[in-house]
Amino acid sequence: MRSNDSATATATIAVSTPDAAGQDTPTAVAAPARGPLVSRGALLAALGVAAFSLTFPATAWALEGMGPWTVVMLRSVLAAVLAGGALAVFRVRLPERRHWTGIAVVTVGVVLGFPLLTTLALQTSTTSHAAVVVGLLPLTTAAFSAVRTGARPSRTFWIASLVGAAVVIGFAVQQSGGAPGRGDLLLFASLLVCAAGYTEGGRLARHMPGWQVIGWALVLALPVTVAGAAVALSTEPLRLTAHAIGGLLWLATGSTFLGMVAWYRGMAAIGIHKASQLQLAQPLLTLVWSVLLLGEQLPPAAPAAALAVLACIAVTQRSRG
């Protein structure tokens, strides 16, 4: 877990090797072919999306026995314990000072903002509805990436992204009867903070392994999450059912840590804007999980939306930029 993926096409790349003190030292080595790197990056990003697709059903399970603040704070604390342990075992030194601002953005957007806003939204929205609204995240992330990193995707990429977003918006409007409520506003706010966190995390993953990016973000949030967990546990009801425990454990290990490890490594390899478009499949996967795990009714328009969104993904992945 010490070395990072690179998506460059140069003849040599810099990888990290442990020195006598156990720290990573850049070393020039021959680069593998671009094709295998891109394929591996796409696979890692897809694994991240698969992990994230279970986030809303797991949150719904956790909310069966815990309050929203308890769920958000405990998932972050447990993930921080896992990440902090990995950082300690591998004796990872502190990031450079110039990277801490980006790590703070990841903390606010991914560790705190998105989980809190979506968990609060799920108190009034179904998982299937929330999943489709959050389907706008790929376009939002691509836009943040273009502004933050100077990425310039092709016109075909943007057209396919906008079509995919239009499908998602149309699906959401049709399901909500055209009247967005408080839950929708929370979900739209979650898109902004999460896109910022994804963009910064993908950028940082080009300078340090992706697992360290999310690991340090979780550790940075510990003072807030530990205090928040203590307050939430003392004020919100707690009923430890199998669903509540299972949902919380998945949120901590799969959604907050391991999924983010694969996601950031994938983004570093294939680019933030292309990786972000793989998330167009996330709401569709979540729809399946909501039926299988929660017993929700699959919307009749879901199959057509699935085909349209998957077509958009194929176009964005083949486009240059």
Side-chain angles (χ1 to χ4, degrees):
M1 289 202 301
R2 288 175 183 249
S3 60
N4 195 7
D5 292 329
S6 172
T8 60
T10 57
T12 61
I13 59 174
V15 300
S16 299
T17 56
D19 57 20
Q23 303 297 336
D24 292 340
T25 302
T27 304
V29 297
R34 179 181 176 87
L37 280 176
V38 173
S39 298
R40 183 185 177 192
L43 175 61
L44 287 169
L47 288 174
V49 170
F52 300 154
S53 71
L54 279 162
T55 298
F56 286 172
T59 301
W61 272 10
L63 287 172
E64 291 180 11
M66 308 175 194
W69 290 89
T70 301
V71 172
V72 173
M73 297 303 164
L74 281 184
R75 70 180 277 187
S76 296
V77 170
L78 293 175
V81 171
L82 180 62
L87 292 170
V89 167
F90 289 98
R91 299 179 180 180
V92 178
R93 59 186 171 188
L94 290 171
E96 298 177 26
R97 181 179 298 179
R98 63 192 177 99
H99 294 322
W100 278 108
T101 299
I103 291 173
V105 174
V106 175
T107 298
V108 174
V110 175
V111 176
L112 298 174
F114 184 78
L116 178 59
L117 291 168
T118 54
T119 300
L120 292 174
L122 283 173
Q123 291 188 294
T124 57
S125 298
T126 64
T127 58
S128 56
H129 179 81
V132 174
V133 174
V134 174
L136 292 174
L137 184 58
L139 180 61
T140 312
T141 303
F144 269 81
S145 173
V147 173
R148 180 68 179 88
T149 68
R152 293 294 180 268
S154 67
R155 181 179 299 177
T156 300
F157 175 92
W158 284 115
I159 292 174
S161 298
L162 289 172
V163 171
V167 171
V168 170
I169 292 173
F171 187 87
V173 170
Q174 187 265 336
Q175 291 300 305
S176 64
R182 174 176 175 272
D184 291 316
L185 296 178
L186 290 170
L187 291 169
F188 285 129
S190 75
L191 295 177
L192 299 178
V193 297
C194 190
Y198 278 176
T199 299
E200 284 301 307
R203 185 184 65 81
L204 288 171
R206 292 183 177 273
H207 303 282
M208 66 180 77
W211 73 275
Q212 293 182 19
V213 174
I214 188 60
W216 287 118
L218 287 163
V219 170
L220 184 63
L222 264 177
V224 174
T225 55
V226 168
V231 174
L233 286 170
S234 65
T235 57
E236 292 184 332
L238 181 66
R239 188 165 56 92
L240 296 180
T241 65
H243 274 185
I245 295 173
L248 180 64
L249 289 178
W250 176 259
L251 290 173
T253 58
S255 300
T256 308
F257 184 60
L258 296 179
M260 293 303 304
V261 171
W263 178 239
Y264 281 146
R265 288 184 65 125
M267 282 200 294
I270 66 176
I272 297 172
H273 64 284
K274 281 200 171 184
S276 70
Q277 297 313 297
L278 289 174
Q279 279 199 305
L280 283 170
Q282 183 175 324
L284 305 169
L285 290 173
T286 301
L287 287 176
V288 174
W289 293 127
S290 69
V291 172
L292 296 178
L293 300 178
L294 304 175
E296 294 185 3
Q297 295 296 318
L298 185 66
L307 291 175
V309 169
L310 289 176
C312 292
I313 292 175
V315 173
T316 59
Q317 295 306 298
R318 289 179 177 273
S319 67
R320 296 180 180 180

